[in-house]
Amino acid sequence: QKGGYKHFMLKEIFEQPKVIRDCLAGRIDHASGAVRLPEIEALPVPGRLVIVACGTSSYAGLWGKQIIEKLARVPVDVCIASEFRYADPILAPGDQVLVVSQSGETADTLAGLRLAKERGVPVIGLCNVIGSSVDREADFVLHTQAGPEISVASTKAMCSQMVMLLLLALRYADAKGLLSREDRAACIEGIQAMPKLLDDHLPFMRDTAQRLSRTYSEATSFLYLGRGPAWPLALEGALKLKEISYIHAEGYPAGEMKHGPIALIDPKFPTFAIALADDLFGKVKSNLIEVQARGGRIIALTNPGLDLEVDHPWVLPQVFWPLAGFTALPALQLFAYEIADYLGKDVDQPRNLAKSVTVE
Ligand code: M6R
């Protein structure tokens, strides 16, 4: 069942190239290059998209916000479902709600879906489990094609949600005529090439993760930093580490570090940074210099040729900026996995956690 892997989590991390292929199947018209999302064809581009989700699905939503707003200039709000349901949220004409859930059964997310429907706002479900409550109750449904996810720690589901959010961003950008021909081609060709790229690189990423896990397994706390689309990935990296290794970790937008968390930094409090080749690289780099000035050790996901001196640079292949998350995500997952496994934790069934949170 685990296909020769020691844990479902590892198997599911390595399934991500296939997941991307499956999510893209039939979605891009060969002749015109148009993005095909017939499930939501009847819907106009929203005036505002309100994403409602929990946990990892909410981080996919935060990543989607960055990509949709940058590529398509559609305003996106991301709401944690347990807050949204009791917040008496303001939903205006032109708004659409996008509920993101792997299981389609998360109690708070479902309550958010029902509230939005009561308010008469079109609700799109982005979910993985066919026949689930989100699948049945949403007005429109986009299925992620991740296949069954067994490990409690969500991995490939987030990857699949990101593919669908990217397609949504492209669809909105097309409808508004916003993307240049070059950027559009770079997105589409880049995501189509991603499965092969990951197939080629995942074994090396695992080796790196294994080596680093030995060096950092004694840490009791980690700070994860990123900016822009890498910020939600920092949140996800921290969540993965804490849920399966029980090492405390906090994800922060890198620029916010000096507003408090910097006080924690010392040689025993490492930082895991996402410092990729994008227009925020210089800003992240200067944050990392501040960490080093306080004796903090740093692992940094980075790209070839970038001028960055840290204890452990982890060089990932460079891709067009909206796609960088697809390379960073498995690195973050593998690091958490390798530390947890090295520490002998129950990787697939972490303590106190259930795969699907069906009570509030
Ligand atoms: O099934 P859902 O996507 O609605 O689940 C949401 C969260 O419960 C889930 O992502 C949780 O945070 C995972 N354990 C993260 O790995």
Side-chain angles (χ1 to χ4, degrees):
Q1 249 185 335
K2 291 181 197 151
Y5 291 95
K6 185 171 176 189
H7 296 99
F8 281 108
M9 182 179 176
L10 189 59
K11 173 175 178 266
E12 289 163 2
I13 292 171
F14 274 81
E15 279 172 355
Q16 289 174 116
K18 174 178 172 355
V19 166
I20 297 174
R21 266 186 214 108
D22 291 348
C23 285
L24 290 176
R27 293 300 188 182
I28 294 163
D29 188 90
H30 287 305
S32 63
V35 171
R36 294 167 51 183
L37 296 173
E39 302 91 325
I40 55 166
E41 215 164 55
L43 287 171
V45 176
R48 180 179 70 134
L49 188 69
V50 180
I51 297 181
V52 178
C54 299
T56 290
S57 295
S58 77
Y59 298 151
L62 280 173
W63 177 88
K65 169 185 166 74
Q66 301 265 345
I67 301 299
I68 294 170
E69 290 190 342
K70 287 205 172 72
L71 296 184
R73 310 304 296 159
V74 172
V76 180
D77 286 337
V78 182
C79 304
I80 298 292
S82 54
E83 291 293 318
F84 179 82
R85 65 182 292 187
Y86 296 118
D88 191 9
I90 299 168
L91 294 168
D95 287 353
Q96 293 171 23
V97 166
L98 177 74
V99 163
V100 184
S101 175
Q102 186 285 130
S103 62
E105 299 295 350
T106 301
D108 287 321
T109 306
L110 262 176
L113 179 157
R114 290 172 184 152
L115 173 67
K117 278 184 78 173
E118 267 167 40
R119 301 280 180 91
V121 178
V123 177
I124 309 166
L126 179 56
C127 83
N128 194 44
V129 178
I130 296 176
S132 63
S133 302
V134 166
D135 188 21
R136 284 183 279 110
E137 294 187 34
D139 300 312
F140 305 86
V141 181
L142 290 168
H143 290 126
T144 47
Q145 304 293 332
E149 192 179 62
I150 310 295
S151 175
V152 165
S154 185
T155 54
K156 61 177 181 170
M158 180 169 180
C159 174
S160 68
Q161 291 161 352
M162 287 164 59
V163 176
M164 298 309 290
L165 288 161
L166 176 71
L167 291 175
L168 204 56
L170 291 172
R171 177 180 179 267
Y172 293 158
D174 284 349
K176 296 172 81 175
L178 278 183
L179 267 183
S180 71
R181 184 192 293 249
E182 294 73 27
D183 283 359
R184 193 177 185 285
C187 277
I188 294 204
E189 284 159 25
I191 191 67
Q192 286 175 326
M194 192 59 70
K196 162 106 178 61
L197 186 85
L198 291 183
D199 270 331
D200 291 346
H201 280 84
L202 279 171
F204 301 111
M205 287 192 195
R206 185 173 179 209
D207 289 347
T208 308
Q210 215 159 39
R211 248 183 302 113
L212 291 172
S213 69
R214 279 32 174 190
T215 311
Y216 286 92
S217 62
E218 279 168 23
T220 52
S221 259
F222 253 94
L223 184 62
Y224 280 71
L225 298 179
R227 282 180 183 246
W231 163 33
L233 292 167
L235 299 177
E236 173 62 5
L239 177 63
K240 284 286 93 73
L241 188 69
K242 64 190 142 196
E243 71 179 330
I244 60 169
S245 75
Y246 318 143
I247 295 173
H248 167 251
E250 284 189 61
Y252 255 88
E256 188 64 9
M257 182 190 64
K258 63 178 69 151
H259 299 281
I262 199 167
L264 294 165
I265 290 176
D266 68 19
K268 289 192 171 155
F269 186 90
T271 293
F272 195 126
I274 307 171
L276 301 171
D278 58 27
D279 53 0
L280 294 169
F281 172 75
K283 300 287 173 193
V284 177
K285 181 178 167 179
S286 56
N287 295 132
L288 297 184
I289 291 169
E290 290 158 7
V291 170
Q292 287 168 323
R294 276 118 193 130
R297 289 182 302 160
I298 298 173
I299 302 172
L301 298 180
T302 187
N303 290 131
L306 287 179
D307 172 26
L308 185 70
E309 276 182 37
V310 294
D311 304 85
H312 293 100
W314 182 345
V315 181
L316 299 175
Q318 188 172 341
V319 294
F320 188 42
W321 70 265
L323 309 176
F326 292 96
T327 60
L329 181 65
L332 295 160
Q333 296 164 342
L334 283 165
F335 179 70
Y337 170 80
E338 290 296 345
I339 287 217
D341 185 41
Y342 185 62
L343 295 175
K345 306 299 182 203
D346 187 351
V347 171
D348 284 334
Q349 293 288 335
R351 68 185 182 203
N352 309 337
L353 287 176
K355 180 65 185 160
S356 176
V357 184
T358 54
V359 289
E360 68 168 303

